[in-house]
Amino acid sequence: MTIQLKTQVAIVGAGPSGLLLGQLLHRAGIDNVVVERQSADYVAARIRAGVLEQVTVDLLREAGVDQRMHREGLPHDGFDLLFKGQRHRIDLHALTQRRVMVYGQTEVTRDLMQARQAAGLPSHYEVEDVRIDGLQGSIAEVTGQHQGQALRIQADFVAGCDGYHGVSRSCIPADVLRTYEKVYPFGWLGMLADVPPVSDELIYANTERGFALCSMRSRTRSRYYVQVPSSERVENWSDEAFWDELARRLDPQAASHLTRGPALEKSVAPLRSFVAEPMRWGRLFLAGDAAHIVPPTGAKGLNLAAADVGYLWQALSAYYQSGQSQALDAYAERCLRRVWRAERFSWWFTSLMHQLPAEGEFGQKIQEAELDYLVHSEAASKALAENYVGLPL
Ligand code: RFL
Ligand code: PHB
């Protein structure tokens, strides 16, 4: 038997991009169906980003899923840069009159999944062999298999929200698709633990032993990262070894305040910059990690995904309200302008904060000079702050 559905927008992928788009479209009266490869439990358990820009917070409010975030999220007015053993505060609010919200991607995803379920919107999890056809024709088609049953969805448009390893990007013919990529020779070993954060705000540390980041999910849950070679295996790191290494990369005051505890999760994430162009091909619109990846140093991955979704929601709303396709035609260009600015910032902040052995001692001295300039020049601090809190849409 085949399950056959008709909808306005078929959304491939139930990550934050797909779920946020689904919720925004629903509130604009636009039908949509979500198709996801993994199980709902798997999607809900993934641990990823932690810092939301105001633009993302505003979109979550538009989607009607901001109540718990405003109750439990932690607004942050600044963060610390640590180098040469000293911490320097970047006062985001004084420099930009804006702040960021510390609220985990896991929580955002859970809120979106609950809202989708409460609204009774169609979602198909554990769908294998997803294929997308008809992108240059009069109707698009998404097909797949769910527990031996065929699924066939006809749609006006397809939103490719299926992440870096998804199928939608590969629907764009090779002679049309252009990709730009930079792979870094290091990754982040991350650990999540139910211990109070070492500091009230995030600490980004540049040390001789490599980069470290002290982040958090709440006042009782910490998220820490240390730079490791990209070939590093998580099995090589006991909890104790992780805590010891993190402590060595902090200033003495922070190291003495570090509360240790068992890891709830530990994993190594590779660092990559990647952009695929165009982000639209016929009836297909790519959004989020399906089209671009940034290294996590600037906390831009999830926020860029949300900005794409914001543009796509506006463009689809305009199309269904007035039949006008100008905003859909402008989608790729609007997104890519923001994407490349975030790519530049994430690459720059990554290059500034990590040990880069290939750059030698000269590179090390340039990093030190730039960090010194950054914290002593208001213009330089402001450029960092305005990118960190997020450029306006
Ligand atoms: P996602 O979250 O990858 O979701 C894509 C969804 O599509 C599904 N999928 C398919 N569904 C159907 N058919 C197929 N053939 C499919 N192939 C894939 C997947 O199962 C998944 O559910 O992309 P989205 O929604 O665009 O969201 C983007 C964000 O998740 C991402 O930008 C950030 O999480 C990036 N990122 C981080 N960003 C930060 O700002 N700070 C971080 O600390 C941070 N840590 C991370 C990260 C990304 C990671 N990845 C991708 C491995 C850590 C990791 C490990
Ligand atoms: C996180 O909390 O996971 C996090 C925070 C800031 C970043 C990257 C990751 O820049």
Side-chain angles (χ1 to χ4, degrees):
M1 212 186 84
T2 302
I3 304 172
Q4 304 228 30
L5 301 166
K6 263 196 168 77
T7 189
Q8 289 171 305
V9 182
I11 300 174
V12 183
S17 304
L19 291 173
L20 177 59
L21 180 64
Q23 213 54 31
L24 289 167
L25 292 178
H26 166 65
R27 286 169 73 96
I30 301 169
D31 286 348
N32 61 88
V33 177
V34 167
V35 177
E36 163 64 47
R37 184 172 58 183
Q38 304 285 357
S39 70
D41 287 347
Y42 180 93
V43 169
R46 277 191 303 226
I47 296 158
R48 290 184 178 173
V51 177
L52 308 182
E53 297 174 4
Q54 187 63 46
V55 164
T56 307
V57 168
D58 291 347
L59 282 168
L60 291 169
R61 191 189 56 236
E62 283 285 353
V65 290
D66 60 327
Q67 298 87 343
R68 194 162 70 95
M69 172 183 67
H70 283 302
R71 253 192 343 265
E72 298 177 14
L74 305 171
H76 278 202
D77 285 344
F79 63 81
D80 279 349
L81 280 179
L82 165 58
F83 58 94
K84 289 190 141 183
Q86 291 215 324
R87 274 195 264 164
H88 306 260
R89 184 163 187 265
I90 300 294
D91 189 333
L92 296 172
H93 195 254
L95 290 160
T96 67
Q97 286 75 58
R98 294 168 84 101
R99 45 175 63 97
V100 291
M101 174 72 89
V102 173
Y103 189 64
Q105 179 169 335
T106 314
E107 308 311 317
V108 172
T109 306
R110 192 177 304 160
D111 294 344
L112 285 163
M113 285 175 100
Q114 274 174 6
R116 190 165 180 90
Q117 202 176 17
L121 305 179
S123 314
H124 298 264
Y125 286 88
E126 297 179 78
V127 179
E128 294 168 81
D129 303 327
V130 170
R131 278 187 53 115
I132 309 170
D133 294 290
L135 291 171
Q136 295 291 338
S138 55
I139 191 109
E141 199 168 76
V142 175
T143 53
Q145 297 285 325
H146 174 66
Q147 294 175 351
Q149 243 185 358
L151 176 69
R152 183 160 171 250
I153 304 165
Q154 292 193 320
D156 299 336
F157 300 107
V158 177
C161 299
D162 49 351
Y164 181 67
H165 300 286
V167 286
S168 52
R169 191 173 63 246
S170 62
C171 297
I172 303 177
D175 58 343
V176 176
L177 188 71
R178 277 208 70 176
T179 59
Y180 304 84
E181 184 167 38
K182 180 176 174 63
V183 178
Y184 301 84
F186 44 80
W188 283 13
L189 171 64
M191 113 105 86
L192 186 73
D194 271 336
V195 293
V198 64
S199 171
D200 289 342
E201 294 183 335
L202 272 60
I203 304 173
Y204 288 85
N206 172 317
T207 82
E208 280 173 8
R209 300 184 67 87
F211 171 76
L213 171 59
C214 303
S215 183
M216 65 191 76
R217 291 292 175 271
S218 69
R219 292 203 173 82
T220 55
R221 181 168 284 190
S222 300
R223 179 70 166 158
Y224 295 120
Y225 299 94
V226 293
Q227 175 186 351
V228 292
S230 42
S231 55
E232 188 62 82
R233 291 162 56 90
V234 67
E235 297 78 34
N236 295 341
W237 288 81
S238 66
D239 291 1
E240 224 35 51
F242 183 94
W243 290 115
D244 288 344
E245 186 56 35
L246 179 64
R248 283 190 209 107
R249 297 186 191 192
L250 298 179
D251 57 290
Q253 201 211 356
S256 68
H257 277 89
L258 195 61
T259 310
R260 299 178 180 221
L264 299 172
E265 190 258 7
K266 272 203 305 272
S267 55
V268 177
L271 263 62
R272 181 192 304 274
S273 300
F274 172 85
V275 181
E277 296 185 355
M279 285 176 63
R280 186 242 177 119
W281 193 67
R283 297 183 176 275
L284 173 69
F285 294 83
L286 299 180
D289 280 16
H292 41 74
I293 298 286
V294 286
T297 322
K300 289 283 159 259
L302 172 59
N303 292 299
L304 264 190
D308 291 351
V309 165
Y311 290 142
L312 188 53
W313 159 62
Q314 286 171 3
L316 287 167
S317 300
Y319 174 80
Y320 283 113
Q321 269 161 28
S322 65
Q324 308 250 320
S325 59
Q326 285 100 322
L328 285 175
D329 295 339
Y331 170 76
E333 206 182 312
R334 278 184 90 187
C335 288
L336 284 165
R337 187 157 174 251
R338 188 179 179 85
V339 165
W340 275 112
R341 287 190 291 180
E343 289 285 347
R344 184 209 67 80
F345 173 66
S346 304
W347 159 81
W348 168 79
F349 202 28
T350 300
S351 313
L352 180 68
M353 297 307 294
H354 290 75
Q355 281 298 310
L356 310 169
E359 302 298 319
E361 287 178 1
F362 183 81
Q364 174 76 32
K365 286 287 185 190
I366 293 291
Q367 265 190 355
E368 287 171 17
E370 183 150 17
L371 283 162
D372 183 24
Y373 172 57
L374 202 55
V375 298
H376 291 107
S377 153
E378 192 182 332
S381 299
K382 207 165 180 160
L384 166 62
E386 75 173 359
N387 280 280
Y388 192 86
V389 298
L391 299 173
L393 265 187

